[in-house]
DNA sequence: TTTATGTACCCAAAGGTTTGCGTAAAGTCA
DNA sequence: TGACTTTACGCAAACCTTTGGGTACATAAA
């Protein structure tokens, strides 16, 4: 019976001389329902044949009939940003565990593109969305509340929309406490994009903590920039031209911090002894850099997993609360004097 | 007419008093077919209403009817390996341009897992597969030829299976030529996993070129290891304990090279003046590292895009040839003496 | 006038499941 | 024996499209 086409319910039913509806109930109802639908003997026969023929239900037929697709759309700024890749791994694994499929696309932080990708996903009839590219500024973002579809934000939050994020403010505090403890009083910030909650809150936590300890960070020592290495380099270079020159730099993400380290070296200064550098996210790179990078660890995989769990709850019609995960500081050579 | 359910062909047809089959032909046949199916006036009415109601065909119904899903499965070792993330971006964009959807999963270089992921994708009724985690060793890999489904390999090749790769051997040659030109005669290799064509061919190109120029690389100076930073660090550390100590290290991927740079520094040596380091792939990080990394650039995005194009051809039933893209060396401070 | 050729449609089956409802036969109880 | 309940299924519609066939009417050619 190893012919070309995959077996269908109908083929099984016909072969067994049992009606297709009965076969259906046995094969995917609960044990209870199965018992109601057929005798023990029939159940055994059906299951045996399904096994032998390696019957796999056609997902398109199921989706059509049930009008749900078991598909989740994931939209991120860029999947080649390591941070998002780790988050996505958490999402994808959790989805698979619950027999959902996910597909992921880039929006490049462009609201226009984000909206387009959302529409494309909806055309594919996804059951829900996970958005990793939220803008804080409600005016700047597509009207998410009009999505008419369950969704959750991940990594970045926005207003009261359901989200799973790191406690970025606290992360900023941790970074500040460490640098203050090292005796720094003049500090520059590579602040990320201002419309992201990540950038905004990490910087805010940092600045507030400094102020509480009597260290003032002037506005021009806190520079907005995008989250890639090149931007981090350029921004840190500008920070280093300020007078008085900062003795430490806090970058709100590791890629930015790596760029900053490059800028420090390009200015013939040493990372650590001359200029302390602290990053954020503790990507696996951080520990292995030529000068190991002090970084705030955020639980990326867990963040992705939790966001998927939240969405699953939402799909069940349950009420959910946003989640904030705890960061932790990992101190390495880049922020320690000689 | 803004009610809850999305409009269907039938709803349009009923509203217009035109048969659903006619509406179908007008809406997705060519202009030719449309003209055959209905009068100019009817065509206009149909299109107008479809527009007004924002009609979107139900992909599940289409898939069921046509028994094709417009879905492509992509399997990679890890999407959080930057190299694969860039390749995937190329795949995904090209797919979207041809109105295909892709979804991606990790196989962690485990043949067992790979097979499982392939089966899962097939259960979703994908039209084709792109595999980024091929094993060279036919015995070690799932029997890809029995897939009964179009597929193409990307990044790594295996036997004569259709693939899109970088000319890794040539890349290895370029790296060797550069280091030889710098006067190095004792060189260590962080060689990657031996069952991957990438690791194997890059190392082979390097070693062969050295031999041609009279520089012998003993087997114990070429160490296998996985492609992450931590492994690169550990392996480079071992290379540095060899006597005579190598004055240069070629790592077959950038993450490995970054780890190696860490090891060099941990041994109180300077990257560049003391130990030259060369990587592979020229990920955006390379240029921005504290010591900028010399690396062989492989066109990752293009590789992904081309692999998708190849698969599309295969889906058309066309015959295809494997593609090898040209690498290029980007020289930076990490391989230059003082 | 007959025959051929379009034009502008409609019909109905098919694709694979799910699910509310119906029913014949067997068993239970008084 | 009659009434009633289980047991073990079967029936058919529904989900939304696509597509290989018509058909009825009109116009044109022979």
């Amino acid at each position: 019976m190893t012919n070309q086409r995959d077996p269908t319910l109908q083929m099984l039913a016909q072969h067994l001389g049992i009606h297709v509806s009965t076969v259906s109930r046995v094969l995917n109802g609960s044990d209870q329902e199965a018992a109601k639908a057929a005798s023990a003997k029939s159940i055994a026969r059906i299951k045996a044949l399904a096994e032998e023929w390696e019957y796999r239900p056609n997902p398109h037929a199921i989706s059509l009939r049930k009008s749900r697709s078991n598909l989740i759309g994931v939209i991120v700024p860029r999947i080649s940003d390591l941070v998002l890749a780790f988050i996505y791994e958490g999402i994808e694994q959790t989805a698979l565990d619950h027999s959902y499929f996910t597909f992921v696309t880039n929006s490049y932080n462009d609201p226009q593109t984000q909206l387009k990708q959302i529409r494309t996903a909806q055309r594919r009839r996804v059951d829900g969305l996970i958005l990793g590219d939220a803008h804080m500024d409600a005016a700047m973002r597509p009207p998410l509340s009009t999505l008419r579809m369950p969704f959750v934000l991940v990594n970045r939050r926005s207003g009261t929309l359901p989200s799973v994020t790191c406690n970025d403010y606290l992360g900023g505090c941790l970074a500040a406490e460490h640098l203050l403890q090292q005796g720094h009083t003049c500090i520059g910030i590579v602040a990320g994009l201002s419309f992201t909650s990540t950038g905004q809150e990490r910087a805010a936590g940092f600045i507030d903590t400094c102020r509480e300890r009597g260290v003032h960070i002037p506005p021009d020592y806190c520079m907005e920039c995008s989250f890639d290495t090149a931007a981090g380099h350029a921004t840190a270079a500008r920070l280093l031209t300020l007078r008085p020159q900062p003795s430490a730099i806090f970058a709100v993400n590791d890629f930015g911090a790596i760029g900053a380290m490059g800028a420090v070296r390009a200015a013939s200064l040493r990372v650590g002894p001359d200029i302390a550098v602290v990053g954020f996210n503790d990507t696996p790179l951080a520990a292995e850099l030529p000068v190991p990078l002090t970084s705030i660890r955020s639980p990326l995989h867990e963040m992705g997993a939790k966001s998927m769990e939240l969405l699953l709850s939402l799909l069940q019609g349950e009420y959910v609360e946003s989640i904030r995960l705890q960061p932790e500081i990992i101190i390495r050579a880049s922020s320690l004097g000689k």
Side-chain angles (χ1 to χ4, degrees), chain A:
Chain A
M1 260 306 156
T2 50
N3 32 10
Q4 50 273 38
R5 304 198 65 69
D6 342 54
T8 70
L9 266 194
Q10 332 229 31
M11 290 163 70
L12 290 182
Q14 191 169 1
H15 188 87
L16 291 164
I18 293 179
H19 195 266
V20 50
S21 66
T22 307
V23 179
S24 169
R25 278 183 253 255
V26 168
L27 251 29
N28 40 34
S30 59
D31 283 1
Q32 282 235 356
E33 290 171 321
K36 274 198 140 167
S39 64
K41 206 175 109 187
S42 294
I43 292 178
R45 286 179 61 218
I46 292 171
K47 289 196 169 168
L49 191 66
E51 184 83 9
E52 186 194 332
W53 285 8
E54 296 188 342
Y55 166 72
R56 303 284 173 240
N58 183 317
H60 307 310
I62 297 179
S63 295
L64 180 56
R65 179 63 234 250
K66 295 186 146 178
S67 45
R68 60 201 284 279
S69 58
N70 274 30
L71 243 40
I72 302 292
V74 180
I75 298 175
V76 300
R78 275 199 84 160
I79 189 71
S80 61
D81 177 339
L82 229 37
V83 171
L84 276 308
F86 284 115
I87 291 176
Y88 181 68
E89 289 187 340
I91 293 175
E92 202 255 346
Q93 197 172 97
T94 309
L96 231 45
D97 289 346
H98 293 81
S99 51
Y100 275 81
F101 277 66
T102 57
F103 54 86
V104 59
T105 41
N106 292 341
S107 74
Y108 303 102
N109 277 318
D110 173 36
Q112 211 69 16
T113 308
Q114 187 194 34
L115 192 56
K116 200 188 91 198
Q117 306 288 38
I118 289 176
R119 295 288 171 235
T120 310
Q122 289 185 318
R123 226 168 276 173
R124 252 288 155 179
R125 303 295 214 263
V126 295
D127 291 336
L129 289 164
I130 296 183
L131 306 174
D133 61 347
H135 280 231
M136 288 201 84
D137 181 359
M140 271 293 288
R141 68 170 142 84
L144 294 183
S145 38
T146 69
L147 240 45
R148 295 175 165 284
M149 167 171 290
F151 70 94
V152 352
L153 309 183
V154 70
N155 195 34
R156 302 184 191 161
R157 52 199 203 109
S158 178
T160 59
L161 298 173
S163 64
V164 180
T165 56
C166 176
N167 189 332
D168 292 307
Y169 187 89
L170 177 56
C173 298
L174 293 175
E177 269 162 23
H178 171 62
L179 286 174
L180 293 170
Q181 204 162 10
Q182 298 295 308
H184 296 279
T185 55
C186 182
I187 309 177
I189 303 180
V190 176
L193 295 168
S194 64
F195 57 79
T196 66
S197 66
T198 45
Q200 212 265 325
E201 294 181 8
R202 289 169 194 173
F206 191 92
I207 292 170
D208 289 356
T209 302
C210 286
R211 183 176 341 99
E212 283 165 21
R213 308 290 170 87
V215 170
H216 175 62
I217 298 188
D220 52 326
Y221 280 69
C222 178
M223 293 185 178
E224 179 179 349
C225 77
S226 71
F227 291 109
D228 53 298
T229 27
H233 185 121
T235 306
R238 286 201 295 142
L239 284 172
L240 291 174
T241 64
L242 295 173
R243 290 297 172 269
Q245 192 184 48
S247 65
I249 294 178
F250 171 49
V252 300
N253 67 318
D254 279 359
F255 275 13
I258 290 174
M261 289 166 105
V264 169
R265 182 180 174 280
S268 305
L269 296 164
R270 289 165 302 163
V271 172
D274 297 330
I275 308 279
V277 176
V278 174
F280 207 111
N281 287 134
D282 193 34
T283 50
L285 287 172
E288 300 300 334
L289 291 170
V291 181
L293 176 66
T294 295
S295 189
I296 309 298
R297 173 174 298 166
S298 57
L300 299 175
H301 190 94
E302 185 186 353
M303 209 154 88
K306 284 251 191 297
S307 70
M308 188 66 218
E309 284 168 20
L310 222 61
L311 183 56
L312 290 170
S313 297
L314 238 33
L315 289 170
Q316 309 286 320
E318 292 167 19
Y319 171 82
V320 304
E321 298 261 13
S322 293
I323 298 177
R324 313 206 68 177
L325 301 170
Q326 291 309 300
E328 180 187 357
I329 186 165
I330 310 292
I331 297 170
R332 301 199 182 88
S334 73
S335 64
L336 300 176
K338 179 69 230 321

